[in-house]
Amino acid sequence: MTLTFALAIFLLLNLIVALVRVARGPTPADRLLAALLFGTTGSAILLLLAEAMGQPSLLDTALVFALLAAITGVAFARRAWREEAPDDEPR
Amino acid sequence: MSATLAFDLLLIVALVWSAARALTVADLFRGVVLLIVFGLLMALAWARLGAPDIALAEAAIGAGLTGALLLDAVGHLRAKREPGA
Amino acid sequence: MSLAELLGDALLVAGAAFFFAGTVGLLRFPDVYTRLHALAKADNLGLGLIVLGLLLHAPGWATGIKLVLIWLLALAASATVGFLIARRARRHGIAPWRAGDGE
Amino acid sequence: MNIRRATVRAVLWRGVLFALLWWALTDGRPGSWGVGGVSVALATAASLALLPPVGTCVSRIGLVRFLVFFFVQSLRGGVQVAAFALRPRPGLRPGFHDIALRLPAGLGRILLANTLSLLPGTLSVELDGDRLCLHVLDETAPTEREVRVVEDRLAHMLGLELDTTA
């Protein structure tokens, strides 16, 4: 087991734990954090996979992840979140 | 258990979890967020399967573009509902 | 194993450690603003260290520039999205947690 | 006259930058420069439309100094957040902090807001006119002093005048 692959597994575990937390909420703002998570952790996993699997073209996918984090984040914040979801009580 | 198998199993669990949640959740906004999460995890799965080009397309179209459009649609639906509510 | 590779491995492990700290922060911090702090700072530093570690393994300039570009994009994305989320949250009246409120 | 020279300089610098970007993205393969040339030209045109060249030029020493400062500070920021997260009792004392900016409106302020989000203990929440609202992790920290330092460095890098009366 190479170090890069072990770290990729560790980061995936991190991502999943964080995603479960983000999906719980409680406010819509907490859910939007998923965009940030994938931008950083997702592209880090892809970078490590590119090294571990010897596939440099995965770097392009990581680039798209980082770019999309910005686009979905802006779409989230500017377009979708006009009011509180009915079942979301702000703390 | 080999390292690759561990990674793939984790990914599968996360994929099934996000897909099931996206389908069963009542609130539209949460559903769309979970769909985007599913799309990005799917891109990771394509990367693991050795198909970086499909991973690219999945992340850009499946998660990014579709997600942004659906989020916009949710926003419009809410804006429409607001005056009547 | 050369010194550069050893240093690269150390940087990769350090980067993963910061990602771990970011996740712990996300789980433990009390409100959305403090969670944004955790993600914007710890995760970006983690990604930066991983990029630096991979640079020491990297086979050439083009790959190196691409790696740095990924980090810069992630930085810009977190700063922008973090700002937008925090602004929205405040305009929607999500109250910040204050010391003494209890978790 | 000065404006025209600034434009020429901007076109040259940005063109070189985009060409370098294209080279990196295509892993230096020579066959793609047909599409690449068109892309570089379009990207330069788009960047000129979106961000018109400013009269002042970016100081190179300032840029390097700012980058070094940024790296050191973001390392500090990450360590600080990690310490807060991993301590048995986080001991957070968060709060909002309003600051009057001395930088002129435009690129400088946007860069400042984005930089502060990545620096220790601060997160930009609202940029309204010349007021910047920050969320800080520790209310007792000397936030204002740190913001002034970043402002000075940014102004030095971009060749901007600070409004010291504010």
Side-chain angles (χ1 to χ4, degrees), chain C residues 33 75 77 102:
Chain C
Y33 304 100
L75 277 184

Side-chain angles (χ1 to χ4, degrees), chain A residues 3 7 10-11 14 18 21 29-30 32-33 36 40-41 44 47 51 59-60 63 67 77 81-82 84, chain C residues 9 12 16 19-20 23 26-27 32 35-36 43-44 47 54 57 63 66-67 70 73 78 85 88 92:
Chain A
L3 177 75
L7 289 178
F10 178 68
L11 287 189
N14 259 314
R21 178 70 188 80
D30 289 292
L32 304 190
L33 295 181
L36 279 178
T40 49
T41 319
L47 291 182
E51 172 87 4
L59 290 186
D60 296 324
L63 208 63
L67 202 63
W81 189 21
R82 302 232 169 103
E84 303 289 348
Chain C
D9 286 353
L12 291 183
F19 273 108
F20 175 70
T23 308
L26 188 73
L27 296 181
V32 68
R35 285 185 204 130
L36 269 172
D43 278 18
N44 275 318
L47 185 62
L54 289 177
H57 299 237
T63 316
K66 216 188 266 180
L67 282 171
I70 290 169
L73 267 177
S78 331
I85 292 178
R88 265 295 138 111
H92 278 261

Side-chain angles (χ1 to χ4, degrees), chain A residues 1 5 8-9 12-13 16 19 23 28 31-32 38 46 53 57-58 60-61 64-65 68 76 79-80 82-83 85 87, chain B residues 3-4 7 10-11 14 17 27 29-30 33 37 40 43-44 47-48 52 55-56 59-60 64 71-72 75-76 78-79:
Chain A
M1 177 148 96
F5 213 100
I9 296 176
L12 183 66
L13 206 62
I16 292 171
L19 273 181
R31 301 212 173 86
L32 304 190
F38 267 101
L46 279 169
M53 294 167 64
S57 44
L58 284 182
D60 296 324
T61 319
V64 170
F65 263 54
L68 279 180
F76 266 150
R79 312 288 301 193
R82 302 232 169 103
E83 55 164 326
D87 58 342
Chain B
T4 49
F7 189 92
L10 263 178
L11 199 55
W17 170 77
D27 180 41
F29 176 70
R30 292 171 67 178
V33 172
V37 166
L40 291 170
L44 280 181
R48 270 296 300 145
L56 210 84
L71 281 171
D72 200 29
H76 276 295
R78 287 201 175 155

